[in-house]
Amino acid sequence: MCSASFPDTLRNGSIMTKRSGVSLRDRIWPRMGLRRYVIYLQKRLLRLSGSPHAVAAGVAAGASVAMLPLFGLHFVLGLALAFITRGSILAAAIGALWGNPLTFPLFVAAGYALGDWMRGGGGMSPEEATIVHAVAQKLPHGLISNELEAIWPTFSTSLIGSIPLAIAVYAIAYVMVRWIVVRFRDARAERLARKA
């Protein structure tokens, strides 16, 4: 069997997909580096078509749902919230990148701390910590209903605490992004007017 029939080929030590030509490494870590990638996303965001409200509402929608401990649903929820608030769908996808494996532990911890305070608790009890640890040990083998019931108090506390955080992130992101987009577009219009 020839190597061309395989879906993936190996080039320069990285797995390449035949259709896209993008290596697995590039899908995980951008080849241009993280700093340049963030600058690229920033410029891409500023050049999106649509009103400043649409861009700001989209970014705010994506960033706010990233605060929720609903892993795997952030993009879908961000797109839905952007649709409801008449935000840009592409801006929502960019805003959802606010949640990533580096920031999720911080968001969950902050959500749990705030949720615990809102419920009037004194932190995770030793019994709850034992249950969470036991469930975490079994997670690679799959969850069954008893284990889901055991982790529910911790999850619900984190979810309750993350909702006010998500609202605050939405408000802050909306105001900041709208201000930046308006300033960028005004400066660009001024440059074009001087050239004309």
Side-chain angles (χ1 to χ4, degrees):
M1 186 178 254
C2 68
S3 64
S5 64
F6 289 109
D8 296 324
T9 58
L10 189 63
R11 281 190 210 156
N12 299 334
S14 60
I15 298 175
M16 304 287 284
T17 59
K18 260 173 82 172
R19 275 184 260 143
S20 66
V22 178
S23 71
L24 183 61
R25 180 208 171 270
D26 288 338
R27 292 183 191 271
I28 296 170
W29 189 268
R31 188 166 296 280
M32 66 176 84
L34 190 58
R35 182 170 184 255
R36 284 187 63 199
Y37 184 66
V38 168
I39 292 170
Y40 165 77
L41 285 177
Q42 185 180 33
K43 288 183 179 184
R44 178 74 176 109
L45 186 67
L46 289 172
R47 292 186 176 124
L48 284 176
S49 61
S51 68
H53 164 77
V55 175
V59 171
S64 66
V65 298
M67 301 299 292
L68 303 174
L70 302 171
F71 307 114
L73 298 175
H74 291 136
F75 277 106
V76 174
L77 293 173
L79 298 179
L81 184 58
F83 179 77
I84 291 168
T85 60
R86 296 180 182 242
S88 167
I89 301 297
L90 184 56
I94 293 171
L97 295 174
W98 170 254
N100 57 64
L102 299 175
T103 59
F104 284 144
L106 301 173
F107 296 164
V108 171
Y112 183 84
L114 183 58
D116 188 53
W117 176 79
M118 290 170 66
R119 286 185 159 182
M124 189 180 291
S125 68
E127 296 82 21
E128 189 177 16
T130 304
I131 291 170
V132 169
H133 180 70
V135 171
Q137 296 299 320
K138 295 178 184 179
L139 279 177
H141 307 293
L143 284 173
I144 59 173
S145 62
N146 291 344
E147 291 164 349
L148 188 57
E149 290 171 12
I151 203 167
W152 176 252
T154 303
F155 174 76
S156 63
T157 301
S158 182
L159 183 62
I160 288 169
S162 66
I163 291 171
L165 292 176
I167 293 169
V169 166
Y170 186 94
I172 292 167
Y174 180 84
V175 169
M176 285 179 58
V177 172
R178 184 178 171 94
W179 180 74
I180 290 169
V181 169
V182 167
R183 283 195 50 181
F184 174 78
R185 290 181 180 180
D186 287 347
R188 185 171 60 180
E190 189 177 312
R191 277 194 313 269
L192 291 174
R194 272 185 284 165
K195 287 182 181 179

